[in-house]
Amino acid sequence: MYTNRRSPRRHPSLKDVALAARVSHATVSRALRNVGRVAPQTRAAVLAAADRLGYTPNLIARGLKNGATGMLSALVPGLSGPPVSDMMSVVNEELERAGIALQIHTSSEDAERQLEKLRLIRGSSDGVFFVPTSDLLVRGRDDLVQATTRQVQEMGVPVVFVDRYLEVPGAGVVCTDNETAAYEVAMYLISLGHRSIGYLTGPAVSSVRERLQGFRRAMAEAGLAYDESHLESLVADSYEAGAEAALRLLRRAQAITALVTYNHNATVGTVVAARRLGLEIPGDLSLVAFDDVREVSAIQVPLTYVEQDVVSIGRHAAQLMLDMLRGGPPRQIRVQARLVVRQSAAAVR
Amino acid sequence: MYTNRRSPRRHPSLKDVALAARVSHATVSRALRNVGRVAPQTRAAVLAAADRLGYTPNLIARGLKNGATGMLSALVPGLSGPPVSDMMSVVNEELERAGIALQIHTSSEDAERQLEKLRLIRGSSDGVFFVPTSDLLVRGRDDLVQATTRQVQEMGVPVVFVDRYLEVPGAGVVCTDNETAAYEVAMYLISLGHRSIGYLTGPAVSSVRERLQGFRRAMAEAGLAYDESHLESLVADSYEAGAEAALRLLRRAQAITALVTYNHNATVGTVVAARRLGLEIPGDLSLVAFDDVREVSAIQVPLTYVEQDVVSIGRHAAQLMLDMLRGGPPRQIRVQARLVVRQSAAAVR
DNA sequence: CTGAAAGCGCTTACAG
DNA sequence: CTGAAAGCGCTTACAG
């Protein structure tokens, strides 16, 4: 790491202000935070001195003393990519109001790195928001999942899973009710007369698994023959992989009249594939997506999609964390999504 | 803020390890960090004890002592939105290798909040990466710009501007050579025979201003009559605003055969507008964009675009910060962009 | 090689 | 109302 030497022009400390205001640094501390009994004029003098010196408290030191760092961490797969980054954006805003800074760590979708980060975070955070990596890289590594789970349990500070979760007793969870949302998507397509419905899915993180479950439940309830030939998985999270998966599925199961896509790249990929196969959306193929893809909606066809309530999720996550920091119980919160009906799905013809 | 009470099961400290290993905590400190002279067996005993107790250092305390927090901050307009979030992603990765965590603060494109954040960061960071807000909200608020500039000067820790900058002596800067990039874009279109070229621009942040300058320089050098009627600005950063701006421009200056778009939403908006006007790209209208829009390229037409070297920018930014932390001089680094020629721009017909 | 001590910048009982 | 003192968890000269 870089040198420890302090910057040449040292930032003023409590002591400096105390010296300038001719009082003890304890008094400065009280005056500045407006706690305890401080004479009005003393307070005024302190404030003036602090202002003149451009004093700002050293949060690090305050944190050390308080046994709280005043800082929360988020461990996420990556910095970009909706809807997760939108959720974290809301979390960040909510925290701001409480005067708490959010420190962001990324696992880069690498489960080993994720585990290290978890350990690292431990010593310098009052709590962590956790969006675990998809298991693309964890397949066959149950040990890693186990170790991660154990680490979360032993964090010693509150952990709130956002968007997706691991099964860890004591951890909070805030995410979309994916099972219900997918159930409703399937029911909607069935109500439009579709009988052969394809589904594009991805890595087995909780959200993705639950979506598939909801979809299957709907198919079963509707008494529709549903077999694995209607299912295809993306091998990577790119639109090219989405297009390939869609192509495989549409070529194999030609009876399919509607398709459900589990995420952004599956959706874009499907639009690309449809184009390549000369299929019109929704004329030849109905499409219902999870999450809108604004660019597609703007220039191709307004997507019928599941809108996750990212604002509500972010707020609940922040609030739950604050609760847990005060000793509140970990809760598992499900936020309902909304099916936005536009033009990419139509009645079967 | 939340309560200061320590979590029930306290995290083990150096003292706990010392007690368990039957040595002083100073020795534990040395053994763990592998500095100073420590007897091999003492070291082994300490490591064993630390491991058994699940000790991890309290970075806060270490930071206090070192006079460095081991933490860097980034102040950005928002969490999402390429290419800035990609640049910061790279910065983050680079820092990780140096064992430094990045704390992210957002200004939400609000210049007042940005100023507050700057003050807040001051006490708890060894340095800050700064992506200033666009001035959409600062128009007519020179005082705010001044105050922000002054604040940056008085930070007392290194500041590195990324992607765009304010004029502040002593601050580092890493960004694309926007002037040159835009110049090349214009020259490319001119070489294709275009004479009437439109330009969609945005708020007056440095990057956007420089792009327009480069564009104008090329037009002037080519001896092309260039007047403000070929220019249009987005009133907001949304694709709807982009579409409106493009519509205004294309309706007003019908001689235009090519358009340059300064960012993502201007590009998407242009594609939407062209569609609405029944213009084919590139048949009726050539388009060169700043930054690719993958969705557009995938489903509409592969964009000819300026590719910013986000990896290089991120790396340089991280490296410059590390240099400055060691006392190195602030540098202004320009990274060359690359014109990726694909299909959205063609010879004029 | 190891320990006792001082100190980083703060907060908070405890006296007075 | 205010100050002196202790202590948060660490690191680092300084002795020994």
Side-chain angles (χ1 to χ4, degrees):
Chain A
M1 207 196 288
Y2 47 83
T3 172
N4 294 334
R5 225 159 286 130
R6 302 198 56 72
S7 54
R9 212 218 291 168
R10 197 170 57 71
H11 195 70
S13 74
L14 266 192
K15 261 188 209 163
D16 299 315
V17 178
L19 218 62
R22 309 181 152 284
V23 293
S24 76
H25 68 281
T27 299
V28 174
S29 173
R30 284 186 284 250
L32 255 28
R33 283 173 304 131
N34 213 356
V35 307
R37 312 205 55 74
V38 180
Q41 24 182 345
T42 308
R43 189 166 135 62
V46 169
L47 291 187
D51 196 49
R52 184 147 37 83
L53 266 50
Y55 172 80
T56 53
N58 180 327
L59 270 19
I60 300 295
R62 179 179 288 175
L64 217 211
K65 181 58 195 175
N66 287 348
T69 67
M71 184 140 3
L72 262 20
S73 288
L75 179 53
V76 300
L79 244 34
S80 43
V84 172
S85 71
D86 291 333
M87 293 175 190
M88 294 316 300
S89 212
V90 176
V91 167
N92 192 44
E93 276 171 33
E94 291 297 307
L95 256 27
E96 236 171 54
R97 293 188 204 174
I100 300 173
L102 187 64
Q103 187 178 333
I104 302 202
H105 301 262
T106 56
S107 56
S108 310
E109 289 283 8
D110 176 334
E112 306 232 21
R113 192 190 298 210
Q114 177 173 266
L115 187 52
E116 282 168 29
K117 291 284 183 117
L118 231 29
R119 293 197 170 114
L120 191 149
I121 288 170
R122 187 173 178 173
S124 51
S125 242
D126 297 343
V128 16
F129 295 93
F130 190 11
V131 183
T133 69
S134 69
D135 76 345
L136 274 176
L137 299 160
V138 188
R139 277 180 208 296
R141 291 295 306 277
D142 273 358
D143 56 325
L144 258 184
V145 178
Q146 305 263 332
T148 304
T149 302
R150 188 147 29 83
Q151 183 63 45
V152 170
Q153 276 190 80
E154 293 172 356
M155 287 298 279
V157 295
V159 175
V160 172
F161 284 101
V162 180
D163 184 64
R164 48 220 217 192
Y165 57 89
L166 303 175
E167 299 287 354
V168 185
V173 176
V174 182
C175 61
T176 291
D177 182 350
N178 288 294
E179 210 271 352
T180 302
Y183 176 85
E184 284 171 1
V185 166
M187 281 307 191
Y188 173 67
L189 285 171
I190 291 168
S191 79
L192 288 177
H194 295 280
R195 291 293 170 267
S196 184
I197 305 173
Y199 190 98
L200 247 41
T201 190
V205 291
S206 61
S207 54
V208 179
R209 282 199 319 266
E210 292 172 356
R211 286 174 192 180
L212 186 53
Q213 279 164 18
F215 177 73
R216 282 178 166 147
R217 179 163 63 91
M219 296 298 275
E221 283 188 15
L224 291 177
Y226 170 76
D227 66 282
E228 298 302 317
S229 72
H230 285 54
L231 188 67
E232 196 60 62
S233 290
L234 273 67
V235 298
D237 191 18
S238 68
Y239 82 82
E240 289 90 345
E244 282 161 22
L247 243 24
R248 283 198 301 275
L249 181 57
L250 292 171
R251 282 183 177 139
R252 184 177 70 218
Q254 306 207 349
I256 284 177
T257 58
L259 201 50
V260 179
T261 51
Y262 91 104
N263 84 343
H264 182 103
N265 280 323
T267 305
V268 176
T270 296
V271 174
V272 171
R275 205 176 189 228
R276 207 170 303 168
L277 295 175
L279 297 175
E280 287 271 326
I281 295 176
D284 304 311
L285 181 70
S286 280
L287 170 61
V288 179
F290 269 86
D291 304 320
D292 186 24
V293 178
R294 295 171 65 86
E295 295 84 356
V296 169
S297 289
I299 68 181
Q300 188 80 5
V301 51
L303 293 170
T304 289
Y305 73 103
V306 174
E307 181 174 73
Q308 301 193 64
D309 192 346
V310 295
V311 171
S312 179
I313 289 176
R315 286 192 181 153
H316 272 112
Q319 201 52 58
L320 176 55
M321 175 62 79
L322 261 15
D323 277 2
M324 289 173 71
L325 286 167
R326 289 192 204 94
R331 287 179 289 150
Q332 280 75 45
I333 300 173
R334 292 287 175 169
V335 176
Q336 295 307 307
R338 189 168 76 94
L339 179 65
V340 178
V341 174
R342 293 195 300 191
Q343 302 169 26
S344 67
V348 71
R349 56 183 183 184
Chain B
M1 210 194 291
Y2 48 85
T3 173
N4 295 333
R5 226 159 283 129
R6 300 198 57 73
S7 54
R9 212 216 294 165
R10 200 170 54 72
H11 195 70
S13 73
L14 267 193
K15 262 188 210 164
D16 299 316
V17 179
L19 218 62
R22 306 182 155 285
V23 294
S24 76
H25 67 281
T27 299
V28 174
S29 174
R30 284 186 284 251
L32 255 27
R33 284 173 304 133
N34 214 355
V35 307
R37 313 205 54 74
V38 180
Q41 23 182 349
T42 307
R43 191 168 132 63
V46 169
L47 291 187
D51 197 48
R52 185 149 35 82
L53 266 47
Y55 172 79
T56 52
N58 181 327
L59 270 20
I60 299 295
R62 178 180 289 176
L64 218 211
K65 181 59 195 173
N66 286 348
T69 66
M71 180 139 5
L72 261 22
S73 289
L75 179 52
V76 300
L79 244 36
S80 44
V84 172
S85 71
D86 291 334
M87 294 175 190
M88 293 317 300
S89 212
V90 176
V91 167
N92 192 45
E93 276 171 34
E94 291 298 307
L95 256 26
E96 237 171 54
R97 293 189 203 172
I100 300 173
L102 186 64
Q103 187 179 331
I104 302 203
H105 300 263
T106 56
S107 56
S108 309
E109 289 284 8
D110 176 335
E112 306 232 21
R113 194 191 298 211
Q114 177 172 266
L115 187 52
E116 282 167 29
K117 292 282 182 116
L118 231 29
R119 293 197 171 114
L120 191 149
I121 288 170
R122 187 174 178 172
S124 52
S125 241
D126 297 343
V128 15
F129 295 95
F130 189 12
V131 183
T133 67
S134 68
D135 75 347
L136 273 177
L137 299 160
V138 188
R139 278 182 207 296
R141 291 295 306 275
D142 273 358
D143 55 326
L144 259 183
V145 178
Q146 305 264 333
T148 304
T149 303
R150 187 145 32 82
Q151 183 62 46
V152 170
Q153 277 191 79
E154 292 172 357
M155 287 299 279
V157 295
V159 175
V160 172
F161 284 99
V162 180
D163 184 63
R164 48 216 216 195
Y165 57 88
L166 302 175
E167 298 287 355
V168 184
V173 176
V174 182
C175 61
T176 292
D177 182 351
N178 288 294
E179 211 271 351
T180 302
Y183 175 86
E184 284 171 0
V185 166
M187 281 308 190
Y188 173 67
L189 284 171
I190 291 168
S191 79
L192 288 177
H194 294 280
R195 290 295 169 266
S196 185
I197 305 173
Y199 190 97
L200 248 38
T201 190
V205 290
S206 62
S207 55
V208 178
R209 280 200 319 265
E210 291 172 357
R211 286 173 191 180
L212 185 53
Q213 277 162 20
F215 177 71
R216 282 178 166 148
R217 178 163 64 92
M219 295 298 275
E221 282 188 16
L224 290 177
Y226 170 76
D227 65 283
E228 297 303 318
S229 72
H230 285 54
L231 187 68
E232 195 60 63
S233 290
L234 274 68
V235 297
D237 191 18
S238 68
Y239 80 83
E240 289 90 346
E244 281 161 23
L247 243 23
R248 281 198 301 275
L249 181 58
L250 293 171
R251 283 184 176 139
R252 185 178 66 217
Q254 306 206 352
I256 285 176
T257 58
L259 202 48
V260 179
T261 50
Y262 90 105
N263 84 343
H264 182 103
N265 280 322
T267 305
V268 175
T270 296
V271 174
V272 171
R275 206 178 189 227
R276 206 169 305 168
L277 295 174
L279 298 175
E280 287 271 328
I281 295 174
D284 303 311
L285 181 70
S286 281
L287 170 62
V288 179
F290 270 86
D291 303 322
D292 186 25
V293 179
R294 295 171 65 87
E295 295 84 356
V296 169
S297 290
I299 68 180
Q300 189 79 7
V301 52
L303 293 170
T304 289
Y305 72 103
V306 173
E307 182 174 71
Q308 301 193 66
D309 191 345
V310 295
V311 171
S312 179
I313 289 176
R315 285 191 181 153
H316 272 113
Q319 203 50 60
L320 176 55
M321 175 63 79
L322 261 18
D323 277 2
M324 289 174 70
L325 286 167
R326 289 192 204 92
R331 286 180 289 150
Q332 280 73 48
I333 300 173
R334 292 287 174 168
V335 176
Q336 295 306 307
R338 188 169 76 95
L339 180 64
V340 178
V341 174
R342 293 194 301 191
Q343 300 168 26
S344 66
V348 71
R349 56 181 182 188

